[in-house]
Structures are given as structure tokens and as C-alpha cells.
Amino acid sequence: MNEFLPHISQLIQSTLKGFSFLLQELVLVLTFILVILADLISHAKRSAWAYRICIAGIFLSTGVGFIQNSDIARVTLFDNSLILDSTSIAFKYIFSAVTILFAIFIRFHKPLQNHRKGVGDLYMLLPAVLIGLNLMSMASSLLMIYLSVEMVSIASYLMVGYASADKRQTEAAMKYALFGSICSAVMLYGMSLLYGFTGTLNIIDPVFLNRLDLISDPAVALAIVLVLVGIGFKLSFVPLHFWSPDVYEGAPTPVTAFLSTAPKIAGFAILIRFLEPFLLPAQSYKLPDLFDFRAVLSVVAIVTMILGNFSAIWQNNVKRMLAYSSIGHTGFALMALIAFEGSGFSSLIIYFIIYAIMNMAAFMLVDKVADHTGSTDIRTYKGLGKVLKVEFVCFVIVLVALTGLPPTAGFIAKLFVFSSAFEYYAASDSIWALGLLITGAVATVISLFYYLKIPLYAYLKNSEAAVAVHVKRDFLTVVIVFLTFLLILYGLFPGLLS
Amino acid sequence: MIPLAHFMLVSAILFCIGLYAVLAKKNAIMILIGIEFMLNAAILNFVAFSKHDKIALGGQVFALFAIVLAAATVAVTLAIILNVYKYYRTIDPTKIDQLRD
């Protein structure tokens, strides 16, 4: 106890100083409480007040973040357990945008709105999960990584299981919750080993790496692999991907749209932070020969791209197909992460901005079509292209973007990733980089087959049932058109993103 | 004074028991118990290792947070399992397989 006394004042000071940089999250905490109160007090139809306060709070927190972060280059908070730099700030903007889109999506999703529980509690989860996501993008100690990952996970389990309107939804929730808790328990054990090896929880501390260097290589490799299991669950790369098609198919479509974007991007934010010290060439620490991150992650990325894209070909359910395609996209993003030197980071962030837009738009369209036909099976899309004209024109543009063809933003995203991977290959001449480039190119060609299945059914096949569909449009259609417009705008003027 | 290696051995055994339960049990609640075993193995490690980290006491703080989060996860998961039982009349994960390729 006596050893601790001289440090108290310094610790308290660093804690108090840290709060002034957390205004964005404090606003979200306040929003969280207000949304609960609003939902308790007002009995407005469709939880209108909870929705409004939720959206306003997230906008306010983004605005506060914009003012607060405008002149920050890099600060560490709370005794180095959080780090606020340009990367985490960029990630925070992506998360806020995705969460706002998610809130709007819930608002116009009929099955959830008509559910007897109402959607007030779902709006309550949004600020909470956004705090978790923001912390994930800033975490730089093992404790913060675990806390923020669990925060997001628990909220996600609740979202998937929230409506539990039928058998499939509860099944998806159970698979997700069980598999998620197993992965986080494995990750926690890995963290406890890393803590034991180094005596510190702080991963950006030089002491952490120096002490890790003294431990035998197999032990370090084991601990790091265990931690990667937990992160890999969030990213859903192979071999930790098998929960995602089931959960994405079973969960309500807005939740699927959210789960396939925000937590996945946040997982990458943590992976970047976790790998940064190992990948930076300037480090004094020499990588253990046994555990070569680049080789391991390259293999994972190659297998993920192949498996994700090939499995997607056989799917008839659109949500399941998009789930496999998002696994394929994880492989691409891993490729950008491996080619980290030089332009790796900026290309990764641009990739995620575009990925978030495409994915949200794609799932909104799936929901819009399901709203008319009551089905997410591709074979029921027959002839709908002539009835739901606006929707399917947007759908085709979004799918072209997901494939990565010009003139959409998807092309720009893929171009950045490929060029940074090529730079890395030219600089290092590594066989893995070459393998990644080839697999990436092949995967893009394969993805064309399953993405184009949707326009094939919608435009080239006819059906009598389609004519009877009564077209309904609401604000969600406007949002979809706006997102599609953004995809083309960024495709034509990529300079707008940086 | 118990040496550190003994703690690590006990926690490794606990972790393996947990992993076995997770992989072999055909009851969602037993799997949950297995997960608890794994979490407690890690918590034991944290508390034992924090002996060498007297200033920051990171390990003990981490153990406290991990206990709270484990409780939260279990509460949510149990509620979900209860829902599954309502629809399927069983909580054997191998029999709950409506979603598949």
C-alpha cells in the first residue's frame, strides 16, 4: 500500500485531465439516460421521442467531437489507456454516421415497429453501443480493449435477440451470444498471459514490447493467437466466420446492416492498434521468428477472400449472400492492413467509409424489397425491376459498387487497397503479397457472378406476381437514393473523401 | 508463499476444463458454465500476476471489471436461452439448426 501513495496525486490528475477529451462520450451517456426517460414518460406512437432524442444526441456528440478534435494530433488519456489520434477520430465519424443510419432504418422497418414490445429499448441501445464503438477505436490498453469489445458485444446480442419474433431469430441470437462469449473468454485468457509476460496492460508502452521480447517465442505466439481469436470474432474472418451467415440471416435486417458494418470496422480499429507496434519498422523490438504477423494474416486474408466469395455463389437468400460477401470484404480489408507501410492506413479508412455506405444501402434495399414481397429469397425478385424502378436502379448501382467496378466508389476503395498492396509487394518482394494480389483479383471476378444474380432475376426474368405489387415509398427510399448518389459522387470525385 | 507457477497451472487446468465443456456439452447452459470456467481461469491469472505490478495494480482492476462483465453477459445469454426454449422446447444447440446452408 505504501508504494502506491506517492503515485495517487499524479493518477488523479491524469484522470481529471482525461475527461475533457471525452466530451463526445459524455454527451452519449447523457443521451442514453434521456432516451430511457423519454421512452418511459412519453407514450407517443412508435417511440417518436426516443427516436428524436437518440438522433439529436448522436448528432450533438459528433458536433462536440468535431470541435474538440479539430486541433488534436495525438493525445493519450487516463494513464495511457486511451489514445486519441487522427485514426481514431476518423473511425469515430464513421461509427456516428452508421449509427444514425441504423436509427433511421429501425424507424422505417415495419416488423420491428409493429412488434408488441415497441422499439424504445432498441433506440436506448444505440448511444450505448456507440460509446463502446468509440472506445474500441481509442483503446490502447488490454483492459480498454476487453471492456469496449464486451460493451459492443452485449449490446449486439440484445439487438439480435430483441424482437425474437420467430424461431430463426432466437436461434440466431443464441448462436451469436454463445459463440461471442466463448471467443471473448479465449481472448481474456490470452490477455491474462500477455499481462503475466509483461507486467503491464498498456500495449503502446515500449516496456510491453521489450519484455515480450524476453519471453520464449511459442509462449508469445500462443498468447497473441488467443487475443486474435477474440478480435477475429468481431471481424468474422476465417476460421471464426461461421456464426455470421446464420446471424445475418436470422437477425432483423436493420440489425444485420449494423452488425456487418460498425462492429466489424471497430474490430479493425482494434486490430490496427494491436498490430501497430509489431508492424512499425521503427520499433527496436524484433518480431519473434515464429510469429510472423504478416504471413499469418496473409494466409487468413487469402482463405477469407476465397471462402467468402465462393460460398456466396450458392446462396439464394439475399441476406445470407451479403453475409458471405461481407466476409469476402473482410479479406480485402485485411489485405490493406497487411500492406500497412506507407499508404496502408489511409487506404484502409477510405475503404471503410465506402464499405459502410455500400453495405448500409444494400441492406436497406433488401429490406425495402422485402417490405413489398415479404421475402428475402433472390428467386422472388423475378420481374420486380419493372415495378420497383427506383429501388432496383439503386440496387444495381450499389451492387456494382460492392463488386468494385467504375464509376462507383467501390472501384476507388478497391483501387486504393490494391495499389497499397502492390506498393508493399514492390518494396518487400514477399510471396504473400503476391498471393494476396492474385487472390484479390480472382475474388473480384467471382463476386461479379453472385452480385449480378439480383439484376438478372429482377430485369431479365418475368413473373405475373410482380405486377400485383403495390409500390410504397417513404423516407427510407430518400436515404437509399442519397447513399447511392454518394457512391457515384465519390466514384467520380474521390478527392472529396480525404 | 505459493509460487506463481502453481497459479498458472491451476488456471491452465481450469481453462482446459472450460474448453472441454464448451466443445463437448450438448446443453446451452452447460456451455455457459464452460465459458464461466474459462473466464475464471483468466481472472485467476490476472490476480496472481498483479503481485508483480504493485503500483498500477492493473491485474486486480482488470479482474473486477471482468467479473462484472461476465455477470452481464450471462444475464443476457440466459434470457436468450430462455427465449430459445420457448420456441424449440429444447436447449441442445445441435438440435437447433433451422439456419444453415
Side-chain angles (χ1 to χ4, degrees), chain A residues 115-419:
Chain A
H115 194 265
R116 66 187 156 74
K117 249 190 280 188
V119 281
D121 298 334
L122 206 51
Y123 291 132
M124 175 202 86
L125 285 174
L126 298 191
V129 80
L130 188 54
I131 297 172
L133 290 168
N134 282 350
L135 290 178
M136 265 173 104
S137 71
M138 294 191 289
S140 68
S141 82
L142 294 175
L143 176 60
M144 278 319 299
I145 291 179
Y146 180 70
L147 264 181
S148 55
V149 167
E150 280 295 275
M151 251 175 111
V152 174
S153 290
I154 293 175
S156 312
Y157 305 153
L158 287 170
M159 284 177 195
V160 174
Y162 181 77
S164 68
D166 58 12
K167 271 187 156 183
R168 299 154 80 81
Q169 247 168 46
T170 53
E171 180 186 342
M174 188 184 77
K175 282 184 172 165
Y176 191 37
L178 283 181
F179 195 63
S181 344
I182 294 167
C183 286
S184 71
V186 171
M187 177 172 76
L188 189 66
Y189 194 73
M191 285 177 170
S192 77
L193 290 181
L194 283 181
Y195 175 63
F197 296 156
T198 63
T200 171
L201 289 172
N202 198 336
I203 53 172
I204 52 168
D205 194 346
V207 176
F208 183 78
L209 293 173
N210 289 334
R211 292 212 182 128
L212 221 48
D213 207 10
L214 303 174
I215 308 287
S216 71
D217 290 350
V220 175
L222 174 75
I224 288 175
V225 167
L226 291 181
V227 175
L228 285 184
V229 166
I231 301 174
F233 164 74
K234 283 258 149 275
L235 303 184
S236 70
F237 56 57
V238 178
L240 298 157
H241 69 286
F242 42 81
W243 61 272
S244 75
D246 288 355
V247 172
Y248 287 5
E249 187 189 340
T253 315
V255 176
T256 310
F258 179 74
L259 287 185
S260 68
T261 42
K264 192 172 259 191
I265 297 171
F268 270 104
I270 284 201
L271 195 60
I272 288 172
R273 201 69 76 196
F274 190 70
L275 295 187
E276 205 177 2
F278 295 94
L279 296 181
L280 271 181
Q283 286 292 334
S284 57
Y285 174 76
K286 203 170 94 342
L287 275 173
D289 298 326
L290 181 119
F291 202 79
D292 183 353
F293 272 115
R294 286 216 159 95
V296 174
L297 286 179
S298 302
V299 173
V300 168
I302 288 172
V303 179
T304 308
M305 278 191 272
I306 292 176
L307 198 135
N309 285 296
F310 271 99
S311 310
I313 296 179
W314 317 115
Q315 305 306 325
N316 281 322
N317 186 309
V318 188
K319 279 162 89 179
R320 217 175 166 82
M321 188 196 88
L322 286 173
Y324 278 112
S325 104
S326 93
I327 294 174
H329 278 279
T330 304
F332 272 107
L334 274 177
M335 184 157 104
L337 185 66
I338 293 158
F340 162 65
E341 277 157 318
S343 61
F345 262 4
S346 54
S347 70
L348 200 58
I349 287 171
I350 290 176
Y351 188 85
F352 284 138
I353 295 172
I354 296 170
Y355 172 77
I357 300 176
M358 309 191 278
N359 231 28
M360 289 308 278
F363 278 107
M364 281 176 179
L365 283 160
V366 169
D367 189 52
K368 202 80 206 131
V369 176
D371 201 20
H372 288 93
T373 62
S375 163
T376 52
D377 195 311
I378 296 180
R379 287 164 296 191
T380 60
Y381 283 17
K382 273 183 194 162
L384 285 177
K386 293 183 187 99
V387 187
L388 298 167
K389 288 199 183 84
V390 180
E391 282 81 357
F392 271 94
V393 167
C394 292
F395 217 150
V396 171
I397 294 170
V398 170
L399 290 173
V400 167
L402 278 167
T403 322
L405 295 176
T408 57
F411 172 69
I412 305 297
K414 282 232 163 100
L415 184 71
F416 274 119
V417 172
F418 271 111
S419 62

Side-chain angles (χ1 to χ4, degrees), chain A residues 3-4 7 11 79 116-117 142-144 146-147 150-151 154 157-158 161-175 177-178 181-182 184-186 188-193 195-197 199-201 226 245-247 249-250 311 315 320 324, chain B residues 4 8 11-13 15 19 22 28 31-32 35-36 38-43 45-47 49-63 65-66 69-70 72-73 76-77 80-81 83-84 86-88 91-93 96-101:
Chain A
E3 299 112 318
F4 188 60
H7 297 273
L11 281 176
D79 204 22
R116 66 187 156 74
K117 249 190 280 188
L142 294 175
L143 176 60
M144 278 319 299
Y146 180 70
L147 264 181
E150 280 295 275
M151 251 175 111
I154 293 175
Y157 305 153
L158 287 170
Y162 181 77
S164 68
D166 58 12
K167 271 187 156 183
R168 299 154 80 81
Q169 247 168 46
T170 53
E171 180 186 342
M174 188 184 77
K175 282 184 172 165
L178 283 181
S181 344
I182 294 167
S184 71
V186 171
L188 189 66
Y189 194 73
M191 285 177 170
S192 77
L193 290 181
Y195 175 63
F197 296 156
T200 171
L201 289 172
L226 291 181
D246 288 355
V247 172
E249 187 189 340
S311 310
Q315 305 306 325
R320 217 175 166 82
Y324 278 112
Chain B
L4 206 55
M8 284 188 80
S11 94
I13 292 170
F15 186 77
L19 202 60
V22 162
I31 293 178
L32 215 53
I35 294 168
E36 283 301 295
M38 289 156 80
L39 284 174
N40 281 311
I43 291 168
N45 259 352
F46 272 120
V47 176
F49 288 140
S50 96
K51 195 175 92 178
H52 298 290
D53 181 18
K54 286 212 175 92
I55 309 299
L57 282 178
Q60 302 208 9
V61 175
F62 205 136
F65 274 107
L69 277 175
T73 317
V76 169
T77 317
I80 291 171
I81 291 174
N83 244 331
V84 167
K86 237 168 49 187
Y87 282 101
Y88 285 85
I91 48 169
D92 179 353
I96 301 167
D97 56 355
Q98 294 233 318
L99 294 166
R100 56 173 152 183
D101 282 327

